[in-house]
Amino acid sequence: MFRKLCAEFFGTFWLVFGGCGSAVLAAAFPELGIGFAGVALAFGLTVLTMAYAVGHISGGHFNPAVTVGLFAGGRFPAKDVIPYIIVQTIGAIAAAAVLYSIASGKAGFDATANGFASNGFGEHSPDGFSLQAAIVAELVLTAFFLIIIHGATDKRAPAGFAPIAIGLGLTLIHLISIPVTNTSVNPARSTGVAIFQGTWAIEQLWVFWLVPLIGGIIGGLIYRCLLESKD
């Protein structure tokens, strides 16, 4: 179990550091910025690389919504859910702390003012989307992410390709929803950066815990009840 929790810590750290780091440090870099597409790809690559690196140890969740969704889908034991969520959240906060120490080395940096890649809705949505829009987007996208994960790791799926499908799935999710909420589908990712943003991101954080967790459960149940082989 210790090895599994270490794997989840490092995997979640890499996801937040790589994904949010690309948003904070590289997305709007003058003339050569990677933009939304680059940030979306960065998030997908973090999951793909760590799924191959440590997925065989812990299952490669790196996300409380994935852990809860896999439990709902009958793929993960109840006794391990809380330890996984705790260590994922700690990994996300640690990554955000390292990212903050780097970003604050630039003159004029202000995490409160620039948002620090935090998730938000209303006036804090990148394109002004409402709370209702944020809820629908996060719910649907998290549910489909869990369907992708369950399907890619099904015993009937081609072996060895699951990280590619999951990484590309997360990339697509970000391409869709960065303008809506800055894309969460991951409560740990939202928590890490919200702590360092320090104001509105913490006030709105409840949405990015509650909705992805519900979406994860829905996705897990859909696959378990409708798509999974009973043989």
Side-chain angles (χ1 to χ4, degrees):
M1 188 59 179
F2 178 74
R3 291 174 63 248
K4 291 180 179 179
L5 295 179
C6 285
E8 285 297 303
F9 173 88
F10 289 117
T12 312
F13 182 102
W14 189 238
L15 185 152
V16 173
F17 185 70
C20 294
S22 69
V24 171
L25 303 176
F29 188 78
E31 298 182 10
L32 298 176
I34 62 175
F36 283 175
V39 173
L41 182 60
F43 271 100
L45 289 174
T46 62
V47 170
L48 188 155
T49 52
M50 288 308 278
Y52 275 122
V54 301
H56 58 284
I57 299 173
S58 68
H61 299 190
F62 319 142
N63 179 343
V66 171
T67 297
V68 170
L70 288 172
F71 164 71
R75 301 278 190 89
F76 194 69
K79 66 182 179 63
D80 293 341
V81 169
I82 298 301
Y84 264 51
I85 291 175
I86 290 172
V87 79
Q88 288 159 358
T89 304
I90 293 171
I93 294 170
V98 173
L99 178 58
Y100 183 85
S101 70
I102 295 171
S104 60
K106 181 179 179 180
F109 172 77
D110 185 346
T112 301
N114 70 20
F116 200 54
S118 296
N119 302 114
F121 54 86
E123 64 179 309
H124 302 299
S125 159
D127 201 25
F129 284 84
S130 67
L131 171 59
Q132 178 183 343
I135 289 173
V136 173
E138 292 289 331
L139 188 73
V140 171
L141 292 172
T142 310
F144 270 89
F145 190 40
L146 265 296
I147 292 172
I148 292 169
I149 292 171
H150 277 84
T153 56
D154 193 293
K155 61 185 179 182
R156 297 169 293 168
F161 292 97
I164 298 173
I166 295 167
L168 290 177
L170 190 61
T171 298
L172 176 58
I173 286 168
H174 280 77
L175 288 172
I176 295 168
S177 62
I178 287 178
V180 183
T181 61
N182 229 10
T183 309
S184 172
V185 302
N186 185 336
R189 167 260 190 272
S190 298
T191 301
V193 291
I195 288 173
F196 290 89
Q197 196 285 326
T199 56
W200 59 261
I202 294 177
E203 295 170 2
Q204 297 189 349
L205 185 59
W206 65 272
V207 173
F208 303 105
W209 270 92
L210 180 63
V211 178
L213 289 178
I214 294 173
I217 292 170
I218 291 171
L221 290 175
I222 287 173
Y223 197 88
R224 183 177 189 176
C225 298
L226 300 178
L227 302 172
E228 192 164 49
S229 172
K230 303 304 180 183
D231 294 335

